[in-house]
Amino acid sequence: MQNKERLDIASKQLDRVLGFFARVEAKASFIFAVNSTLLALIALNFHREDFSRWSIVGPAALSVLLIGVSLFFVYRCSFPSLKGGSNSLIYFREIAKRREAEYVEQFSSISEDALTRDFTAQIWRNSEILMVKYDSIKIAFILSALSLLPCFVFLLMVTITHSQVPIIK
């Protein structure tokens, strides 16, 4: 395979890997919205006198705990470690460290082989970052799903205890 072909394939592969970032970010936004809604629902329906009722405090606390840990993983997904890519002419953090003229000169003078190696290094590093993001969002999703049952029990107990339908605004 010629250097030009490798460079073209590497460039397309990097674009393909980068395309997955939008998917995981959309999932993170969705889970953040669901978690925020559940926390607001619990906060709106929790009364001062409920602190003495374990049938209400227990499910609410469990739900809030699961949601809190889920939010930690949403945060981890949204802000992964961006270390790596030193001296890369492709990686945005390394590009930003250079002066404009320096970057233009270095990029203009790089060989096809060196550029191909830089692209493949970025494919590898972005795949690592993407794996952390997907693993984090998977855990966040599972924790959010698990929080639904205690949240439902909490709302049921509030309804029974206060003889009113939970507040949903």
Side-chain angles (χ1 to χ4, degrees), residues 57-80:
V57 171
L62 180 57
S63 191
V64 168
L65 176 68
L66 290 168
I67 292 167
V69 177
S70 175
L71 284 170
F72 167 78
F73 282 100
V74 170
Y75 172 82
R76 190 167 171 226
C77 172
S78 298
F79 300 100

Side-chain angles (χ1 to χ4, degrees), residues 114-166:
L115 189 57
T116 300
R117 283 193 306 274
D118 200 356
F119 267 105
T120 55
Q122 287 306 302
I123 293 165
W124 177 80
R125 181 62 185 125
N126 279 284
S127 296
E128 262 193 337
I129 293 169
L130 198 55
M131 182 184 71
V132 169
K133 291 173 79 65
Y134 267 100
D135 289 348
S136 295
I137 210 62
K138 178 183 177 183
I139 294 168
F141 188 88
I142 290 168
L143 291 167
S144 293
L146 290 173
S147 75
L148 292 175
L149 181 60
C151 187
F152 173 76
V153 170
F154 162 76
L155 292 173
L156 181 65
M157 296 310 296
V158 166
T159 301
I160 292 168
T161 304
H162 301 293
S163 299
Q164 67 184 37
V165 177

Side-chain angles (χ1 to χ4, degrees), residues 95-104:
I95 293 170
K97 291 179 182 177
R98 295 174 170 90
R99 295 192 179 281
E100 179 184 0
E102 176 188 354
Y103 174 72
V104 170

